[in-house]
Amino acid sequence: EEFHLEQSFAEALRNREFVLHYQPQVCLDSMEVIGYEALVRWHHPEFGLLFPDRFIPMAENSGFVIPLGMEVLRLACAQIAQWKVDNVPVRPVAVNVSPIQLAQQEFCRDVINMIHQHGLKTCHLELEITETAMLDAKAVDSLHSLKAAGVKLSLDDFGTGYSGFAHLEAVPVDKLKIDRSLIAKICNSHDDSPIVSATIILAKRMDLKVVAEGVETQEQVVHLKVAGCDIAQGYHLSRPMPPEDVPGFL
Ligand code: C2E
Ligand code: CA
Ligand code: CA
């Protein structure tokens, strides 16, 4: 099955079988939607709707993640442009970027071209990167160039790696996303997750916005608000949805 999936990547791109679903990010002060994370899905003609965990690791191993990543960027930019036309309030869309994409020499140029080709500004797009990306000198250069061009950067899955704190100073990120495994430990509105509270304090000291991901309960919302977290994302607020559902949700 894996072999078959890998064989059908190129055709899937040509047939436009990849789509993005959008999960709102909500400001905990105003409870307004302040942005979305774009999450890729594959409408496979034989296997049905496939989630990224089924094909991203394979795409990374085969290098296919590079053209796939460009397709994801194209879809996100085209969607934002369409929302503008439809008078749907436009908010920044965050796109997940694989370390393999970031290590490409042309990555920064390609991203900025894509944004401009769709008549958008760099502030319409955010990139979600992981700690692994920060280990590569070329990737760090790319991140500095993107940041200088006005593209916002989020550090994804914070709290799962080994040296998040050390790398935070080297890379110009704007947001820190606390991994959902840490958020899952919050069971009530008391401070039963000191790591989360301490991370929020640290991020504030570094002038970073904090996003909690995987928020599944109202208790977690209350806890995060009290702890000073800025933004929440998770099933309790909304599941990822196809773009046509976004106006109704808003
Ligand atoms: P991620 O970046 O950590 O994305 C968040 C994942 O958590 C998404 O799964 C989302 O559906 C899920 N999620 C959201 N809210 C909740 C919640 O309240 N509870 C729980 N248990 N889960 C929640 P999804 O869409 O299956 O994506 C999985 C991973 O695939 C992503 O993890 C990301 O690392 C990767 N991915 C997704 N889209 C892309 C893409 O376009 N490019 C690349 N390179 N990777 C992608
Ligand atoms: Ca992400
Ligand atoms: Ca994440």
Side-chain angles (χ1 to χ4, degrees):
E1 187 183 302
E2 244 185 51
F3 178 75
H4 186 68
L5 278 183
E6 211 174 312
Q7 294 300 302
S8 53
F9 267 152
E11 203 187 329
L13 258 192
R14 279 194 300 275
N15 296 344
R16 305 238 155 133
E17 289 168 14
F18 295 99
V19 298
L20 297 182
H21 283 188
Y22 294 82
Q23 187 174 37
Q25 299 187 335
V26 173
C27 165
L28 284 172
D29 258 341
S30 64
M31 294 312 279
E32 276 170 29
V33 175
I34 51 102
Y36 305 92
E37 178 174 4
L39 295 155
V40 70
R41 276 91 182 89
W42 182 358
H43 276 291
H44 195 282
E46 238 173 277
F47 302 130
L49 188 69
L50 301 182
F51 284 76
D53 292 342
R54 268 291 274 298
F55 59 89
I56 292 286
M58 215 158 60
E60 287 185 324
N61 288 332
S62 66
F64 181 76
V65 76
I66 294 167
L68 173 62
M70 286 314 291
E71 173 68 355
V72 166
L73 279 168
R74 187 191 68 76
L75 287 166
C77 289
Q79 188 59 61
I80 302 168
Q82 187 61 48
W83 279 331
K84 277 173 74 177
V85 170
D86 297 343
N87 275 322
V88 176
V90 169
R91 303 279 178 266
V93 171
V95 166
N96 291 284
V97 174
S98 157
I100 293 160
Q101 288 174 270
L102 263 177
Q104 295 289 105
Q105 199 87 57
E106 320 76 41
F107 181 70
C108 171
R109 187 201 62 200
D110 290 348
V111 170
I112 291 169
N113 283 346
M114 188 69 81
I115 292 171
H116 290 153
Q117 274 166 24
H118 288 84
L120 305 177
K121 300 190 187 116
T122 45
C123 64
H124 288 123
L125 200 72
E126 283 181 21
L127 302 180
E128 294 198 0
I129 57 167
T130 52
E131 266 167 38
T132 335
M134 301 179 162
L135 303 174
D136 181 279
K138 257 194 282 171
V140 172
D141 284 348
S142 263
L143 291 171
H144 279 281
S145 309
L146 285 160
K147 167 85 179 183
V151 179
K152 292 255 193 304
L153 304 174
S154 279
L155 182 56
D156 208 352
D157 305 337
F158 190 80
T160 54
Y162 296 103
S163 51
F165 294 102
H167 290 293
L168 265 184
E169 291 199 303
V171 178
V173 296
D174 304 276
K175 274 186 188 171
L176 199 144
K177 294 190 82 172
I178 304 179
D179 191 67
R180 59 179 179 277
S181 59
L182 292 176
I183 303 303
K185 291 186 181 141
I186 305 173
C187 301
N188 57 50
S189 53
H190 300 295
D191 193 1
D192 57 0
S193 179
I195 295 180
V196 171
S197 322
T199 303
I200 294 169
I201 293 168
L202 167 97
K204 297 249 143 155
R205 283 291 298 272
M206 298 183 80
D207 265 335
L208 304 174
K209 292 269 179 223
V210 195
V211 185
E213 61 173 30
V215 175
E216 294 184 350
T217 67
Q218 182 59 23
E219 286 71 31
Q220 290 168 341
V221 169
V222 172
H223 175 98
L224 288 163
K225 247 180 128 152
V226 171
C229 180
D230 305 293
I231 300 158
Q233 180 183 345
Y235 294 164
H236 179 66
L237 301 149
S238 169
R239 297 231 165 206
M241 58 192 140
E244 56 273 20
D245 290 356
V246 166
F249 175 81
L250 285 178

